[in-house]
Amino acid sequence: MLSDRRQRILAALIEEYVNYALPVGSRTLTERYQLGVSSATIRNELSALEDEGYISQPHTSAGRVPTDTGYRAFVDDLIENGLVPQPEYAPLVQQLRANATQLDALMEQTTALLAHMTDCLSIVMAPAVFTVYVQQITLISLTDTRLLMVVVTQDGQVLNRQLEVNGLVTPETLAAVQAALNQAMQGRGLGHLEANEEALCAGLDHPLACALFKEACEALRQHARRSGIPHGHRLGLTALMAQPEFSQSQTLVPLMNVLEDDTVLLHLLDNAQVGEEIPRVFIGRENPAEGLQGVSVVANHYGRGDAAGIVAVIGPTRMDYSKVLNAVRMACAALRED
């Protein structure tokens, strides 16, 4: 737990680094910020913050920069102490809704405003992306080594998959596998199944059941694509590339690769409560997806129940967290049904 003084010094250092993307020295903090302590005290506190892992020194003669741990302490302090300003964004919400009466147009305009407000990559995912639900799974033996799997979705679609299996599958085994699949998948949406695939497969306790689980998920994905379900709106990549951290195009490749999977953001928010007032913040290595570990993600659900979409902003760990948190709140308010 940081003392109040160290928290103030860390906050000042982060503010300076967010603004200029250059290592920050004690002299800069002394001259530009009213911290109420001497320059010697600031130097001592910076050394302590470095020892504790909140900041680091890129080069011996350079100033300090925040670490992921430092950003986390800063963001937690912002949220826990109510330090995120809440400007009146109701007029923006009303204007967005007035200009776009259809959900897809509203998503597009909200994404554009979000990108403009944050200078980061902004993403709005439609609720329908994750609302392909399983009604029932039936397994039928065609031959000794060939099965037909029938997946019925809650929107009335019937999806068929024929599969070759290794070895003879007895009727008793087939019935047991069918029961296990229905217990794991029935009534659940594609997003939940994908986000929890490893745990659900482990719970099936049968190699054939796990293989069929993956085949069923693939059938649901193909159904979603054929149905024309929107994959979301993304804007702000050019602004993101203009940030010093991404001046080399190859640093963006891992990020672009991971974002090709539309369920990545759902994985991040899987344990979050739908409709939370405060967006979730994932900083650097806190992101489970390797391609996101060089950035920060601020994201939240909008909508109700399982049919909730996602608003997210992805940018450098040096992003202006206060501004981005507010922008995500505004976007969720615009997209949320009254």
Side-chain angles (χ1 to χ4, degrees):
M1 186 72 177
L2 289 175
S3 66
D4 289 344
R5 183 165 67 192
R6 286 184 187 172
Q7 188 70 56
R8 290 197 308 273
I9 292 173
L10 176 62
L13 184 144
I14 289 176
E15 180 180 341
E16 185 72 14
Y17 189 63
V18 166
N19 289 334
Y20 299 103
L22 295 172
V24 182
S26 58
R27 181 176 179 179
T28 298
L29 295 178
T30 302
E31 293 176 351
R32 297 186 183 177
Y33 296 87
Q34 302 298 317
L35 296 171
V37 293
S38 67
S39 58
T41 299
I42 290 177
R43 286 195 297 272
N44 290 335
E45 295 290 29
L46 288 176
S47 295
L49 286 168
E50 184 175 359
D51 291 340
E52 294 170 5
Y54 292 98
I55 59 177
S56 65
Q57 193 169 23
H59 308 288
T60 304
S61 59
R64 272 87 166 188
V65 300
T67 63
D68 290 354
T69 301
Y71 284 121
R72 169 50 59 194
F74 174 72
V75 170
D76 287 347
D77 185 61
L78 282 179
I79 294 173
E80 291 173 9
N81 294 305
L83 299 179
V84 179
Q86 298 186 41
E88 181 55 53
Y89 49 64
L92 284 175
V93 171
Q94 292 171 1
Q95 183 178 353
L96 283 169
R97 291 183 173 181
N99 292 341
T101 57
Q102 298 297 318
L103 176 60
D104 198 55
L106 180 58
M107 288 172 55
E108 182 177 358
Q109 292 189 23
T110 301
T111 309
L113 180 58
L114 196 58
H116 175 73
M117 292 174 67
T118 63
D119 285 329
C120 294
L121 177 61
S122 300
I123 302 173
V124 175
M125 305 294 292
V129 172
F130 307 114
T131 53
V132 183
Y133 291 91
V134 175
Q135 178 69 36
Q136 182 178 331
I137 293 178
T138 304
L139 302 178
I140 301 169
S141 178
L142 299 177
T143 69
D144 288 345
T145 60
R146 192 165 187 80
L147 300 177
L148 173 66
M149 178 170 59
V150 181
V151 181
V152 181
T153 67
Q154 288 187 353
D155 62 358
Q157 297 298 309
V158 179
L159 316 175
N160 299 324
R161 307 280 283 191
Q162 291 192 32
L163 307 107
E164 293 287 342
V165 295
N166 295 322
L168 178 66
V169 178
T170 65
E172 292 78 14
T173 299
L174 196 63
V177 169
Q178 177 178 298
L181 286 172
N182 276 299
Q183 183 175 0
M185 305 181 75
Q186 207 166 41
R188 289 176 169 167
L190 173 60
H192 176 87
L193 295 173
E194 290 186 318
N196 296 279
E197 179 178 324
E198 185 176 345
L200 289 170
C201 273
L204 290 170
D205 199 30
H206 195 290
L208 178 59
C210 187
L212 293 175
F213 176 94
K214 294 178 180 179
E215 287 291 338
C217 286
E218 179 58 28
L220 293 169
R221 278 191 291 270
Q222 290 184 11
H223 167 58
R225 289 194 289 268
R226 286 195 303 268
S227 300
I229 291 174
H231 289 281
H233 295 262
R234 291 176 170 85
L235 283 174
L237 181 58
T238 301
L240 187 65
M241 293 177 67
Q243 302 286 353
E245 292 86 346
F246 304 107
S247 58
Q248 301 298 318
S249 59
Q250 61 265 28
T251 61
L252 279 173
V253 172
L255 176 60
M256 294 300 100
N257 287 340
V258 77
L259 288 178
E260 289 180 0
D261 180 358
D262 284 319
T263 66
V264 167
L265 295 178
L266 183 69
H267 290 209
L268 288 176
L269 290 172
D270 187 51
N271 296 320
Q273 294 295 318
V274 174
E276 283 183 341
E277 182 181 351
I278 303 295
R280 297 284 300 276
V281 181
F282 303 88
I283 301 169
R285 291 181 178 84
E286 294 176 358
N287 289 294
E290 185 176 351
L292 295 176
Q293 292 183 0
V295 299
S296 285
V297 181
V298 179
N300 204 4
H301 292 105
Y302 69 90
R304 295 188 177 92
D306 292 329
I310 291 174
V311 171
V313 169
I314 298 175
T317 55
R318 187 184 50 83
M319 69 167 58
D320 186 334
Y321 289 96
S322 179
K323 180 169 68 176
V324 172
L325 281 163
N326 246 327
V328 170
R329 281 176 170 173
M330 178 280 302
C332 287
L335 294 162
R336 192 178 296 122
E337 294 182 6
D338 293 327

